[in-house]
Amino acid sequence: MTQPNTLYFGDNLEILRDHIADESIDLIYLDPPFNSKRDYNILFHRPDRFQKPVRSEAQITAFEDSWRWGEQAEVEYNELLHGKNTEVAALMAALREFLKPSDMLAYLVMMANRLLELHRVLKPTGSLYLHCDPTASHYLKIVTDAVFGAECFCNEVIWQRTATHNDAKRWSSTSDTILYYTKSNSFVWNPQFREQSAEDVEKRYRFIDENGRRYRLGPIDSPNPRPNLMYEWKGYKPPVKGWRYSKETMAELDAAGKIWYPTEKHKRPATKLYLDESSGKWKLWNWP
């Protein structure tokens, strides 16, 4: 079954079914063609024995036929209709009623079958990122909802891949969409951080305590109504929505010297967030 450090070449549906074991994959990122009618044949060049690029005509034909409604699309559609996932079956039947046998439906049938296999091979702690564009992202969202469950949808990440053009005659298509799903609630999330720049430190960590430690002020009030945390603390009245912390936690922060107190009682205390205790600045993905 699954072999580490192995590159598989071929139809990913066959590879998934024949070579990838159930719940064996930690992370899936897929960047499928977007059904945008562009020429993707370059993806199917292969080297000959002298390492020169050669067009694989059989692959190109299979690729171009993938998004035309025909015999293969009908076969995969019937697989979905009689598969174990009844929600996917009901959705695909509804999409066929709406879209009719069309290129778009052929594309969604192809994607649905592969998403079902990707769901099968993903570990309960795993995540999936589906990269798409406005051509079909709205359809792919409901298809992936049916496969993974709408409750496992975590976020829609909008990636600006290019800048707008001054001579545009309409709203420019400058962004792609990345749909983020997890297999369950016990997913793994590893936040990435980068070192604070000197400019960030000077701008954000403006305060220095008696020990020479830099810090910034953080909120101590609750962002949501907390009626059970509407207590007075050292003469300071509670914020409108209550404190962020219980009395016990406030006492611990106070004992550790991590609460900043203003001299005027009408102002609110704040927490001290020390630079040397920070993991760094949260890092966004750097897409090419």
Side-chain angles (χ1 to χ4, degrees):
M1 295 299 288
T2 311
Q3 297 295 322
N5 302 317
T6 302
L7 179 64
Y8 293 94
F9 182 77
D11 184 337
N12 57 9
L13 184 60
E14 295 177 4
I15 299 299
L16 284 164
R17 288 175 173 173
D18 296 342
H19 298 281
I20 312 300
D22 293 357
E23 298 188 344
S24 61
I25 303 299
D26 290 298
L27 177 66
I28 296 172
Y29 169 78
L30 61 156
D31 189 1
F34 297 157
N35 198 35
S36 57
K37 311 305 180 188
R38 288 181 288 182
D39 184 4
Y40 291 95
N41 289 349
I42 189 66
L43 297 177
F44 295 90
H45 284 188
R46 60 176 173 80
D48 67 2
R49 58 183 294 190
F50 301 108
Q51 301 302 308
K52 295 179 181 178
V54 176
R55 289 163 63 89
S56 176
E57 298 300 334
Q59 292 176 58
I60 292 169
T61 300
F63 182 91
E64 290 177 341
D65 287 347
S66 295
W67 294 280
R68 300 288 184 270
W69 192 265
E71 182 178 349
Q72 183 59 34
E74 195 73 58
V75 168
E76 290 200 28
Y77 173 79
N78 284 319
E79 284 184 9
L80 294 170
L81 223 58
H82 298 94
K84 295 179 180 179
N85 191 315
T86 56
E87 290 191 4
V88 171
L91 175 63
M92 298 312 296
L95 285 173
R96 181 165 186 164
E97 183 69 22
F98 176 63
L99 295 171
K100 311 303 180 191
S102 60
D103 293 352
M104 179 60 79
L105 183 61
Y107 176 75
L108 295 174
V109 165
M110 180 276 297
M111 287 298 297
N113 258 320
R114 285 150 181 81
L115 284 167
L116 283 167
E117 290 300 320
L118 292 171
H119 182 268
R120 175 185 64 80
V121 304
L122 194 62
K123 291 180 181 178
T125 53
S127 301
L128 174 138
Y129 292 85
L130 169 55
H131 188 166
C132 47
D133 77 348
T135 307
S137 58
H138 47 305
Y139 293 124
L140 286 172
K141 170 68 167 61
I142 59 173
V143 170
T144 316
D145 277 352
V147 173
F148 278 75
E151 68 280 1
C152 288
F153 170 71
C154 291
N155 210 343
E156 179 181 61
V157 181
I158 304 301
W159 167 48
Q160 183 178 340
R161 54 181 169 74
T162 185
T164 56
H165 302 287
N166 292 334
D167 58 350
K169 300 297 189 294
R170 59 181 175 83
W171 291 110
S172 300
S173 178
T174 62
S175 63
D176 287 345
T177 295
I178 301 167
L179 302 175
Y180 167 38
Y181 285 80
T182 59
K183 182 75 172 279
S184 71
N185 287 330
S186 58
F187 60 92
V188 172
W189 172 259
N190 296 314
Q192 302 295 308
F193 298 93
R194 61 178 174 82
E195 188 177 350
Q196 304 272 8
S197 68
E199 291 78 12
D200 285 339
V201 170
E202 289 293 331
K203 182 178 179 180
R204 301 179 68 223
Y205 292 86
R206 298 181 293 111
F207 305 98
I208 301 176
D209 70 9
E210 63 277 7
N211 297 314
R213 298 175 68 196
R214 281 187 173 271
Y215 66 92
R216 63 185 178 89
L217 300 181
I220 204 167
D221 56 318
S222 173
N224 302 306
R226 302 286 295 274
N228 58 321
L229 298 181
M230 299 292 290
Y231 56 86
E232 186 173 297
W233 177 257
K234 292 198 169 184
Y236 293 94
K237 294 183 178 180
V240 175
K241 295 182 180 179
W243 298 107
R244 186 176 289 251
Y245 307 106
S246 67
K247 277 188 175 182
E248 292 75 16
T249 301
M250 289 281 270
E252 291 175 4
L253 291 171
D254 182 60
K258 291 188 175 182
I259 298 182
W260 172 85
Y261 294 100
T263 54
E264 300 88 349
K265 288 294 183 181
H266 66 279
K267 292 185 178 180
R268 188 171 302 140
T271 53
K272 293 181 181 179
L273 303 176
Y274 283 96
L275 174 63
D276 56 19
E277 294 180 351
S278 171
S279 299
K281 189 172 183 180
W282 192 70
K283 182 180 180 182
L284 294 172
W285 293 326
N286 292 322
W287 298 97

